[in-house]
Amino acid sequence: MHRLRTFLRNNDPRILPVSHIPRPRTTAMIYTTRVLKCDPDSVMFSSDHPTIVSSETREALQRASEELRSLQIVAFPTETVYGLGALALDPIATARIFSTKGRPPDNPLIVHVSSREMLLKILPKGYAISRTYEVLMKHFWPGPLTLLFPSDSSIIPSIITASQPTVAIRIPSHPIARALIALTDAPVAAPSANTSGKPSPTRAEHVFNDLQGKLNIILDGGPCGVGLESTVVDGLQEDGNLRVLRPGGVTVEDLERVIREELFDSVSPPKVFVHRRDYRDEIIEQAPTTPGMKYRHYSPSVPVTLLLTRSRPPSEMQLSSIDVFLKTIQSDAHALGRPLRVGVLAPSDSPLLDRLSAVSTQTIEWTRHPLGPMAEPAVTAQRLFDGLLSLDEAKVDRILIEEIEEEREGLAVMNRVKKAAGDSVWIKL
Ligand code: TXA
Ligand code: MG
């Protein structure tokens, strides 16, 4: 560690290419992972300062904060998913996130701050926040919205931004996340607290099952309310429009509503474009900075099939009947010589669940994980990753997920589902 510090003093890492940033040898170390209970309801914010009434929660937060200050990583709950945090302005600490997750170094991290004051300290001197961003921050911060800002490489280490000219920042609304950052009094970089490529954790036990032995502290603040990651928005383009790079906890409809209500008097109110839905960009699709484009994402260890029951197939494609599809699954079961364990994620009121129940349980054992009513995509969002991880933990042989409408939270749900699924089939119910 001493040699690394000397190296860093002599060679400012903020101007080094990512590949030259020294990596701590954390992978070989075994930690005794402790899960510390925290009660989110015991944390109150007045202005930007937390008051923590439960002594158990206060002590857990203090220990976690000391852990961060000693350049270690800590898993903590946010309103979206659990995060794996480290001091954002310290490249040694941040490098531990990459080695612990097995994250490719060219995939940039989100920086979490607890207040506007902390935000302003890490933005380039003289940078004026646009009116559009002010409106979005007023409505959605603290909350599940991540905004791109210009990055000053003398403040933000290049390991955070993957040497990009922008940095992604948000203020989380989860009281435990925000209190941890406020107590530490420093910005915290945090990707989702999972091994790269797996579904993001929404409960402390998901983190423990995946990363035990790789970190000292997991703060357990109960299940995450949103269940999917934040919406990543780029509002820095010259045309002033907003580009949604990753749909998430704040819906496109919410963004559009707020713009309509607050920016109706501007000469040309910004439009909201969703990447891949409203526009394509060959260059950014090759870049790892475009969330979820380059690397495998959200995949459990067993095959996942997307059942398309709502969208229409392209004319040349055949619509399968559910019976034909089930026959192919049953033939897998015959080859196995035991009942095939199949996990199903579908809306609670979908006819699919009844249709599947009709199939003989001698060849297939169904494990259902209902995703809430079709009319409530926010519930589906909250349950999706939990469902994928629970079915994986239950050791099913394969998972089926039914399509939902790509509206409101459904857009983010289907964005994750399409990446999790290895194949898809059009089904007529
Ligand atoms: O809800 C969330 O956003 C969670 C919680 C922990 O805050 N975090 C999260 O982090 O989902 P992660 O690393 O799993 O996803 C961050 C995404 C990545 O896909 C990355 O490509 C994108 O944000 N990103 C980060 N910095 C970027 C930048 N400068 N330009 C474009 N995309 C960026
Ligand atoms: Mg992630």
Side-chain angles (χ1 to χ4, degrees), residues 76-84 101 103 106-112 144-146 148-149 151 160-162 164-170 172 190-194 200 228-232 234 245-246 249 287-293 297-298 416:
F76 61 96
T78 83
E79 71 280 19
T80 57
V81 299
Y82 273 72
L84 192 64
K101 276 180 66 88
R103 184 177 175 106
D106 56 3
N107 197 359
L109 299 177
I110 295 174
V111 174
H112 299 67
L145 176 70
T146 296
L148 296 198
F149 290 91
S151 176
I160 293 281
T161 59
Q164 297 294 312
T166 56
V167 56
I169 305 179
R170 81 181 188 98
S192 47
N194 53 281
S200 302
L228 295 179
E229 301 87 342
S230 60
T231 306
V232 180
D234 177 0
L245 301 182
R246 177 178 73 182
T289 43
T290 305
M293 285 294 140
H297 263 74
Y298 313 118
R416 309 307 190 269

Coordinates of all heavy atoms in Angstrom, one line a residue, residues 76-84 101 103 106-112 144-146 148-149 151 160-162 164-170 172 190-194 200 228-232 234 245-246 249 287-293 297-298 416, ligand 1:
F76 N -24.4 -1.2 0.1 CA -25.5 -0.4 0.8 C -26.8 -0.4 0.0 O -26.7 -0.4 -1.2 CB -25.0 1.0 1.2 CG -24.6 1.8 0.0 CD1 -25.5 2.7 -0.5 CD2 -23.4 1.7 -0.6 CE1 -25.2 3.5 -1.6 CE2 -23.0 2.5 -1.7 CZ -24.0 3.4 -2.2
P77 N -27.9 -0.2 0.7 CA -29.2 -0.1 -0.1 C -29.4 1.3 -0.7 O -29.0 2.3 -0.1 CB -30.2 -0.4 1.0 CG -29.6 0.1 2.2 CD -28.1 -0.1 2.1
T78 N -29.9 1.3 -1.9 CA -30.4 2.6 -2.5 C -31.9 2.3 -2.8 O -32.3 1.1 -2.8 CB -29.6 3.1 -3.7 OG1 -30.2 2.4 -4.9 CG2 -28.1 2.9 -3.6
E79 N -32.6 3.3 -3.2 CA -34.0 3.1 -3.6 C -34.1 2.3 -4.9 O -35.2 1.7 -5.1 CB -34.7 4.4 -3.7 CG -34.4 5.3 -5.0 CD -33.1 6.1 -4.8 OE1 -32.3 5.7 -3.9 OE2 -32.8 7.0 -5.5
T80 N -33.1 2.2 -5.7 CA -33.1 1.4 -6.9 C -32.7 0.0 -6.7 O -33.5 -0.9 -6.8 CB -32.3 2.1 -8.0 OG1 -30.9 2.2 -7.5 CG2 -32.8 3.4 -8.4
V81 N -31.4 -0.2 -6.5 CA -30.8 -1.5 -6.2 C -29.7 -1.3 -5.2 O -29.4 -0.2 -4.9 CB -30.2 -2.2 -7.5 CG1 -31.3 -2.3 -8.6 CG2 -29.1 -1.3 -8.1
Y82 N -29.2 -2.4 -4.7 CA -28.0 -2.3 -3.7 C -26.8 -1.8 -4.5 O -26.6 -2.3 -5.7 CB -27.7 -3.6 -3.0 CG -28.6 -3.7 -1.7 CD1 -30.0 -4.0 -1.8 CD2 -28.0 -3.6 -0.5 CE1 -30.7 -4.0 -0.7 CE2 -28.8 -3.6 0.7 CZ -30.1 -3.9 0.6 OH -30.9 -3.9 1.7
G83 N -26.0 -0.9 -3.9 CA -24.8 -0.4 -4.6 C -23.6 -1.0 -3.9 O -23.6 -1.3 -2.7
L84 N -22.5 -1.0 -4.6 CA -21.2 -1.4 -4.1 C -20.3 -0.1 -4.1 O -19.8 0.3 -5.1 CB -20.5 -2.4 -5.0 CG -19.3 -3.2 -4.4 CD1 -19.7 -4.0 -3.2 CD2 -18.7 -4.1 -5.5
K101 N -16.1 -6.8 -8.5 CA -17.2 -7.1 -9.4 C -16.7 -7.9 -10.7 O -17.5 -8.5 -11.4 CB -17.9 -5.9 -9.9 CG -18.9 -5.3 -9.0 CD -19.5 -4.0 -9.6 CE -20.3 -4.3 -10.9 NZ -21.7 -4.6 -10.7
R103 N -15.5 -6.1 -13.1 CA -16.1 -5.2 -14.0 C -15.0 -4.7 -15.0 O -13.9 -4.3 -14.6 CB -16.6 -4.0 -13.3 CG -17.4 -2.9 -14.1 CD -17.9 -1.9 -13.2 NE -18.5 -0.8 -13.9 CZ -19.9 -0.6 -13.9 NH1 -20.7 -1.4 -13.4 NH2 -20.3 0.5 -14.5
D106 N -13.4 -0.3 -18.9 CA -14.0 0.7 -19.7 C -15.4 1.0 -19.5 O -16.1 1.6 -20.3 CB -13.7 0.4 -21.2 CG -14.2 -1.0 -21.6 OD1 -14.9 -1.6 -20.8 OD2 -14.0 -1.4 -22.8
N107 N -16.0 0.5 -18.4 CA -17.4 0.7 -18.1 C -17.5 1.7 -17.0 O -17.2 1.4 -15.8 CB -18.1 -0.6 -17.7 CG -19.6 -0.5 -17.8 OD1 -20.2 0.6 -18.1 ND2 -20.3 -1.6 -17.5
P108 N -17.9 3.0 -17.2 CA -17.8 4.0 -16.2 C -18.8 3.9 -15.1 O -19.8 3.2 -15.2 CB -18.1 5.3 -17.0 CG -18.9 4.9 -18.2 CD -18.5 3.5 -18.5
L109 N -18.5 4.5 -13.9 CA -19.3 4.4 -12.7 C -20.1 5.6 -12.5 O -19.7 6.7 -12.9 CB -18.4 4.2 -11.5 CG -17.5 3.0 -11.5 CD1 -16.6 3.0 -10.2 CD2 -18.3 1.7 -11.5
I110 N -21.2 5.5 -11.7 CA -22.0 6.6 -11.3 C -21.5 7.1 -10.0 O -21.2 6.3 -9.1 CB -23.5 6.2 -11.1 CG1 -24.1 5.8 -12.5 CG2 -24.3 7.3 -10.5 CD1 -25.5 5.2 -12.4
V111 N -21.4 8.4 -9.9 CA -20.9 9.1 -8.6 C -22.2 9.5 -7.8 O -23.1 10.2 -8.4 CB -20.0 10.3 -8.9 CG1 -19.7 11.0 -7.6 CG2 -18.7 9.8 -9.6
H112 N -22.3 9.1 -6.5 CA -23.4 9.5 -5.7 C -23.0 10.6 -4.7 O -22.0 10.4 -4.1 CB -23.9 8.2 -4.9 CG -24.4 7.1 -5.8 ND1 -23.5 6.4 -6.6 CD2 -25.6 6.6 -6.0 CE1 -24.2 5.5 -7.3 NE2 -25.4 5.6 -7.0
P144 N -34.2 8.3 -8.4 CA -33.6 7.4 -9.3 C -33.3 8.0 -10.7 O -33.6 7.4 -11.7 CB -34.6 6.3 -9.4 CG -35.9 6.9 -9.1 CD -35.6 8.0 -8.1
L145 N -32.7 9.2 -10.7 CA -32.3 9.8 -12.0 C -30.8 10.2 -12.0 O -30.3 10.8 -11.0 CB -33.1 11.1 -12.2 CG -32.7 11.9 -13.5 CD1 -33.2 11.2 -14.7 CD2 -33.3 13.3 -13.4
T146 N -30.1 9.7 -13.0 CA -28.7 10.0 -13.1 C -28.5 10.9 -14.3 O -29.0 10.6 -15.4 CB -27.9 8.6 -13.3 OG1 -28.0 7.8 -12.2 CG2 -26.4 8.9 -13.6
L148 N -25.7 13.2 -16.8 CA -24.3 13.3 -17.2 C -24.0 14.8 -17.1 O -24.7 15.7 -17.4 CB -24.2 12.9 -18.7 CG -24.4 11.5 -19.1 CD1 -23.7 11.2 -20.4 CD2 -23.9 10.5 -18.0
F149 N -22.8 15.0 -16.5 CA -22.2 16.4 -16.4 C -20.8 16.3 -17.1 O -20.2 15.3 -17.2 CB -22.0 16.7 -14.9 CG -23.3 17.0 -14.2 CD1 -24.0 15.9 -13.5 CD2 -23.9 18.2 -14.2 CE1 -25.2 16.2 -12.9 CE2 -25.1 18.5 -13.6 CZ -25.8 17.4 -12.9
S151 N -16.9 16.5 -17.1 CA -16.0 16.0 -16.0 C -14.7 16.8 -16.1 O -14.1 16.9 -17.1 CB -15.8 14.5 -16.2 OG -14.8 14.1 -15.2
I160 N -13.1 6.5 -12.9 CA -14.6 6.6 -12.7 C -15.2 6.8 -14.1 O -16.3 6.3 -14.4 CB -14.9 7.9 -11.9 CG1 -14.4 7.7 -10.4 CG2 -16.4 8.3 -11.9 CD1 -15.3 6.9 -9.6
T161 N -14.6 7.7 -14.9 CA -15.3 8.1 -16.2 C -14.8 7.2 -17.3 O -15.3 7.4 -18.5 CB -14.9 9.5 -16.5 OG1 -13.5 9.6 -16.6 CG2 -15.4 10.5 -15.5
A162 N -13.9 6.3 -17.1 CA -13.3 5.5 -18.2 C -12.7 6.5 -19.2 O -12.8 6.3 -20.4 CB -14.3 4.5 -18.8
Q164 N -13.8 9.2 -20.2 CA -14.7 10.0 -21.0 C -14.8 11.4 -20.6 O -14.4 11.7 -19.4 CB -16.2 9.4 -20.8 CG -16.3 8.0 -21.2 CD -16.2 7.8 -22.7 OE1 -16.8 8.6 -23.5 NE2 -15.4 6.9 -23.2
P165 N -15.3 12.4 -21.4 CA -15.3 13.8 -21.0 C -16.5 14.0 -20.0 O -16.7 15.2 -19.6 CB -15.5 14.5 -22.3 CG -16.0 13.5 -23.2 CD -15.6 12.2 -22.8
T166 N -17.4 13.0 -19.8 CA -18.5 13.3 -18.9 C -18.5 12.4 -17.7 O -17.8 11.3 -17.7 CB -19.8 13.0 -19.7 OG1 -19.8 11.6 -20.2 CG2 -20.1 13.9 -20.8
V167 N -19.2 12.8 -16.6 CA -19.3 12.0 -15.4 C -20.8 11.9 -15.1 O -21.6 12.8 -15.2 CB -18.5 12.5 -14.2 CG1 -18.9 14.0 -13.9 CG2 -18.7 11.7 -13.0
A168 N -21.3 10.7 -14.7 CA -22.7 10.4 -14.3 C -22.8 10.6 -12.8 O -22.1 10.0 -12.1 CB -23.0 9.0 -14.8
I169 N -23.8 11.4 -12.4 CA -24.0 11.7 -11.0 C -25.5 11.7 -10.6 O -26.4 12.0 -11.4 CB -23.5 13.2 -10.7 CG1 -22.1 13.4 -11.2 CG2 -23.6 13.5 -9.2 CD1 -21.5 14.8 -11.0
R170 N -25.7 11.2 -9.4 CA -27.1 11.3 -8.8 C -27.1 11.4 -7.3 O -26.1 11.1 -6.7 CB -27.9 10.1 -9.3 CG -27.8 8.8 -8.5 CD -28.7 7.7 -9.0 NE -28.7 6.5 -8.2 CZ -29.7 6.2 -7.3 NH1 -30.7 7.0 -7.1 NH2 -29.7 5.1 -6.7
P172 N -29.1 9.8 -4.3 CA -30.1 8.8 -4.0 C -31.0 9.2 -3.0 O -30.7 10.0 -2.1 CB -29.2 7.6 -3.5 CG -27.9 8.2 -3.1 CD -27.7 9.5 -3.8
A190 N -20.7 4.1 -7.0 CA -21.3 2.8 -6.7 C -22.0 2.3 -8.0 O -23.0 2.8 -8.4 CB -22.3 3.0 -5.6
P191 N -21.6 1.1 -8.5 CA -22.4 0.4 -9.4 C -23.3 -0.5 -8.6 O -23.2 -0.6 -7.4 CB -21.3 -0.5 -10.2 CG -20.2 -0.7 -9.1 CD -20.3 0.5 -8.2
S192 N -24.1 -1.3 -9.3 CA -24.9 -2.3 -8.6 C -24.0 -3.3 -7.9 O -22.9 -3.7 -8.5 CB -25.9 -3.0 -9.6 OG -25.2 -3.4 -10.7
A193 N -24.4 -3.9 -6.8 CA -23.5 -4.7 -6.0 C -23.6 -6.2 -6.4 O -23.9 -7.0 -5.6 CB -23.8 -4.5 -4.5
N194 N -23.3 -6.5 -7.6 CA -23.3 -7.8 -8.1 C -22.1 -8.1 -8.9 O -21.4 -7.2 -9.5 CB -24.5 -8.0 -9.0 CG -24.6 -7.0 -10.1 OD1 -25.1 -5.8 -9.8 ND2 -24.2 -7.3 -11.3
S200 N -29.0 -7.3 -10.9 CA -28.7 -6.4 -9.8 C -29.4 -6.9 -8.6 O -30.6 -7.3 -8.6 CB -29.1 -5.0 -10.2 OG -28.4 -4.6 -11.4
L228 N -35.3 -1.5 -10.0 CA -34.4 -1.4 -11.2 C -33.6 -0.2 -11.0 O -33.9 0.7 -10.3 CB -35.3 -1.3 -12.4 CG -36.2 -2.4 -12.9 CD1 -37.0 -2.0 -14.1 CD2 -35.4 -3.7 -13.1
E229 N -32.5 -0.1 -11.8 CA -31.5 1.0 -11.6 C -32.1 2.3 -12.1 O -33.2 2.4 -12.7 CB -30.2 0.7 -12.4 CG -29.5 -0.6 -12.1 CD -30.0 -1.8 -12.8 OE1 -31.1 -1.7 -13.4 OE2 -29.3 -2.8 -12.8
S230 N -31.3 3.3 -11.8 CA -31.7 4.7 -12.2 C -31.8 4.9 -13.7 O -31.2 4.2 -14.5 CB -30.7 5.7 -11.6 OG -29.5 5.5 -12.1
T231 N -32.6 5.9 -14.1 CA -32.6 6.4 -15.5 C -31.4 7.2 -15.7 O -31.1 8.1 -15.0 CB -33.9 7.2 -15.7 OG1 -35.0 6.5 -15.2 CG2 -34.1 7.6 -17.1
V232 N -30.6 6.8 -16.8 CA -29.4 7.6 -17.1 C -29.7 8.6 -18.3 O -30.1 8.1 -19.4 CB -28.2 6.7 -17.5 CG1 -27.0 7.5 -17.8 CG2 -27.9 5.7 -16.4
D234 N -28.6 11.9 -20.7 CA -27.6 12.8 -21.2 C -28.3 14.1 -21.8 O -29.1 14.0 -22.8 CB -26.8 12.1 -22.4 CG -25.8 13.1 -23.1 OD1 -25.7 14.2 -22.6 OD2 -25.2 12.6 -24.0
L245 N -30.2 7.3 -22.0 CA -29.3 6.2 -22.4 C -29.7 4.9 -21.7 O -29.4 3.8 -22.3 CB -27.9 6.6 -21.9 CG -27.3 7.8 -22.5 CD1 -25.8 8.0 -22.0 CD2 -27.3 7.8 -24.0
R246 N -30.3 4.9 -20.6 CA -30.8 3.7 -19.9 C -32.1 4.1 -19.2 O -32.2 4.9 -18.4 CB -29.8 3.2 -18.8 CG -30.3 2.0 -18.1 CD -29.3 1.5 -17.1 NE -29.2 2.3 -15.9 CZ -28.4 2.1 -14.9 NH1 -27.6 1.1 -14.9 NH2 -28.3 2.9 -13.9
G249 N -35.7 4.0 -13.1 CA -36.7 4.4 -12.1 C -37.6 5.6 -12.3 O -38.7 5.6 -11.9
A287 N -19.7 2.0 -28.1 CA -18.9 2.5 -26.9 C -19.5 1.8 -25.6 O -20.7 1.7 -25.4 CB -19.1 4.0 -26.8
P288 N -18.6 1.4 -24.7 CA -19.0 0.8 -23.5 C -19.7 1.8 -22.6 O -20.4 1.4 -21.7 CB -17.7 0.3 -22.8 CG -16.6 1.1 -23.5 CD -17.1 1.5 -24.8
T289 N -19.6 3.1 -22.8 CA -20.3 4.1 -22.0 C -21.8 4.1 -22.2 O -22.5 4.6 -21.4 CB -19.8 5.5 -22.3 OG1 -19.8 5.6 -23.7 CG2 -18.5 5.8 -21.7
T290 N -22.3 3.5 -23.3 CA -23.7 3.4 -23.5 C -24.2 2.3 -22.6 O -23.9 1.1 -22.8 CB -24.0 3.1 -24.9 OG1 -23.4 4.2 -25.7 CG2 -25.5 3.2 -25.2
P291 N -25.0 2.6 -21.6 CA -25.3 1.6 -20.6 C -25.9 0.3 -21.2 O -26.8 0.3 -22.0 CB -26.4 2.2 -19.7 CG -26.1 3.7 -19.8 CD -25.6 3.9 -21.2
G292 N -25.2 -0.8 -20.8 CA -25.7 -2.1 -21.2 C -25.5 -2.5 -22.7 O -26.1 -3.5 -23.1
M293 N -24.7 -1.8 -23.4 CA -24.6 -2.1 -24.8 C -23.5 -3.2 -25.1 O -23.7 -4.1 -25.9 CB -24.2 -0.8 -25.6 CG -25.3 0.1 -25.8 SD -26.6 -0.6 -26.8 CE -28.0 -0.1 -26.0
H297 N -25.5 -8.7 -19.6 CA -26.1 -8.1 -18.5 C -27.2 -8.9 -17.9 O -28.0 -9.6 -18.6 CB -26.7 -6.7 -19.0 CG -25.9 -5.6 -18.7 ND1 -24.7 -5.3 -19.4 CD2 -26.0 -4.6 -17.8 CE1 -24.2 -4.2 -19.0 NE2 -24.9 -3.7 -18.0
Y298 N -27.4 -8.7 -16.6 CA -28.6 -9.2 -15.9 C -28.9 -10.7 -16.0 O -30.1 -11.1 -15.9 CB -29.9 -8.4 -16.4 CG -29.7 -6.9 -16.5 CD1 -29.8 -6.2 -17.7 CD2 -29.3 -6.2 -15.3 CE1 -29.5 -4.8 -17.8 CE2 -29.1 -4.8 -15.4 CZ -29.2 -4.2 -16.6 OH -29.0 -2.8 -16.7
R416 N -34.3 -4.5 -19.4 CA -33.6 -5.5 -18.6 C -33.9 -6.9 -19.1 O -33.0 -7.8 -19.2 CB -33.8 -5.4 -17.1 CG -33.7 -4.0 -16.5 CD -32.4 -3.3 -16.8 NE -32.3 -2.1 -16.0 CZ -32.7 -0.9 -16.4 NH1 -33.2 -0.7 -17.6 NH2 -32.5 0.2 -15.6
Ligands
TXA1 O1 -29.6 2.9 -9.7 C1 -28.4 2.9 -10.1 O2 -28.0 3.6 -11.0 C2 -27.4 2.0 -9.4 C3 -27.4 2.4 -7.9 C4 -26.3 1.7 -7.1 O3 -27.2 3.8 -7.8 N1 -26.2 2.0 -10.0 C5 -25.9 1.4 -11.2 O4 -24.6 1.5 -11.6 O5 -26.8 0.9 -11.8 P1 -24.1 0.6 -12.8 O6 -22.6 0.8 -12.8 O7 -24.5 -0.8 -12.6 O8 -24.6 1.3 -14.0 C6 -24.2 2.6 -14.4 C7 -24.4 2.8 -15.8 C8 -23.5 2.0 -16.7 O9 -24.2 1.2 -17.6 C9 -22.6 3.0 -17.4 O10 -22.4 2.6 -18.7 C10 -23.4 4.3 -17.3 O11 -24.2 4.2 -16.1 N2 -22.6 5.4 -17.2 C11 -21.8 5.8 -16.2 N3 -21.0 6.9 -16.5 C12 -21.4 7.2 -17.8 C13 -21.0 8.3 -18.7 N4 -20.1 9.2 -18.3 N5 -21.6 8.3 -19.9 C14 -22.5 7.4 -20.2 N6 -22.9 6.4 -19.4 C15 -22.4 6.3 -18.2

